[in-house]
Amino acid sequence: RRCCIYSHGKKSMKDALVEKINTILQSDSLKNIYSNYFKEKLHNKVVKICVDDIKLNLFIIFQDNNMELSIDEIQQDVEISGTLSSFIFYSAIGGSDLYSSKINISGDVETANSLNNLFKETDILRGIIMEIIGQKASSSLFSILDPIKEKMSKSSERNKNAFSDFLKYDVSLVPTKEDINKYIDDVDEIKSRTDKLLNKIK
C-alpha cells in the first residue's frame, strides 16, 4: 500500500497528483473498458511512465477490476518514456505513428501492445497530462491540437510526412517545464502559428 508523504499536515504535490489521477483511473467508464477489453492482457502488470524532462516517474498497476497509480518504485513489466511534449503530442494525435517514434517503450511486447491499444481507446494519457500541467494550460493545448488531428485524418500522405517533421523539430509548440507557467500568455501566438500550419495542409 502506498504511503503518503505529508508536510505540515498537507499532502505533497506528488501525492495530490496521484490522488487526482487515481480518481480518473477508477471512474466507472474506464473500469468498464479495462474489465471488458484489456483485463485479460494487462491483469497483474505494472507499467512505468517516465516523463524525462521533469523527472517524474509514475507506475500504473493493473489489478483485478481497476487500475491504480503510484509513485513508489515497483518492478515494472513495461516502461514508457519520453519528454512532456512527446507525451502531449502522443496523446493528442491518438498514438499515431506520426509522433510515437518520440516515445520509447521497452519490456514485454504483448503488454506494450495492449498498453498502446488502451491509450488509443481511452483518454487515460490525456487525463494524466491534464493533471501534470493543469486544467487551464491543457485545455488551451488540446483546443489547438485536436483540430490538427482532425485535419491529419483527411490529409494526404505527403502532408502527413511534412507534419511529422514539424512535430519532431518544432516541439516549441508545446511548453517545457519552464514554459508551463508562461504558456497561457503565449496562446495567441501559438494559435497564429497553428493556423498557418493548418492552411498549409488544407
Side-chain angles (χ1 to χ4, degrees):
R1 187 182 178 89
R2 183 173 57 86
C3 296
C4 293
I5 303 172
Y6 292 88
S7 176
H8 303 294
K10 294 183 179 180
K11 294 179 182 178
S12 70
M13 287 183 64
K14 282 189 176 181
D15 278 301
L17 176 66
V18 168
E19 185 175 300
K20 289 179 180 179
I21 294 173
N22 273 328
T23 299
I24 297 170
L25 294 181
Q26 292 167 14
S27 66
D28 289 340
S29 58
L30 281 181
K31 286 166 68 175
N32 286 336
I33 292 173
Y34 168 65
S35 295
N36 292 329
Y37 302 104
F38 296 97
K39 178 180 175 180
E40 182 180 347
K41 296 288 180 66
L42 293 174
H43 177 234
N44 285 335
K45 302 295 185 180
V46 175
V47 172
K48 181 179 182 181
I49 299 177
C50 303
V51 189
D52 296 329
D53 52 341
I54 60 173
K55 309 298 182 188
L56 178 64
N57 295 329
L58 303 170
F59 296 83
I60 301 179
I61 306 161
F62 293 91
Q63 302 173 332
D64 285 335
N65 297 306
N66 65 354
M67 299 161 279
E68 183 177 4
L69 193 85
S70 175
I71 54 174
D72 289 341
E73 285 286 338
I74 306 169
Q75 183 63 42
Q76 71 269 11
D77 298 283
V78 167
E79 180 175 317
I80 175 170
S81 61
T83 62
L84 181 58
S85 61
S86 297
F87 279 113
I88 289 170
F89 277 122
Y90 184 74
S91 63
I93 308 300
S96 166
D97 291 339
L98 283 175
Y99 213 72
S100 59
S101 62
K102 306 296 287 185
I103 300 288
N104 299 313
I105 302 177
S106 60
D108 178 66
V109 174
E110 186 174 5
T111 302
N113 288 336
S114 297
L115 176 70
N116 191 47
N117 289 333
L118 178 64
F119 285 161
K120 286 181 179 180
E121 296 298 325
T122 67
D123 288 332
I124 288 176
L125 200 53
R126 180 179 292 216
I128 291 173
I129 289 168
M130 290 180 76
E131 294 302 336
I132 291 174
I133 68 175
Q135 297 286 333
K136 190 173 182 180
S138 55
S139 293
S140 297
L141 265 173
F142 289 116
S143 71
I144 294 169
L145 294 175
D146 286 341
I148 292 177
K149 178 182 177 180
E150 184 178 349
K151 282 283 185 183
M152 291 310 300
S153 67
K154 302 175 182 177
S155 185
S156 67
E157 193 63 32
R158 179 182 176 184
N159 283 335
K160 286 182 180 179
N161 290 334
F163 187 63
S164 177
D165 290 338
F166 172 82
L167 290 179
K168 289 176 182 177
Y169 300 113
D170 197 6
V171 294
S172 60
L173 175 67
V174 178
T176 63
K177 178 185 178 183
E178 292 77 17
D179 294 332
I180 287 174
N181 290 331
K182 180 177 175 288
Y183 175 74
I184 294 299
D185 295 332
D186 295 337
V187 166
D188 287 341
E189 179 185 350
I190 294 172
K191 282 184 176 178
S192 175
R193 291 169 56 198
T194 305
D195 288 340
K196 291 178 182 178
L197 172 67
L198 292 177
N199 287 332
K200 288 182 180 180
I201 62 175
K202 282 183 179 178

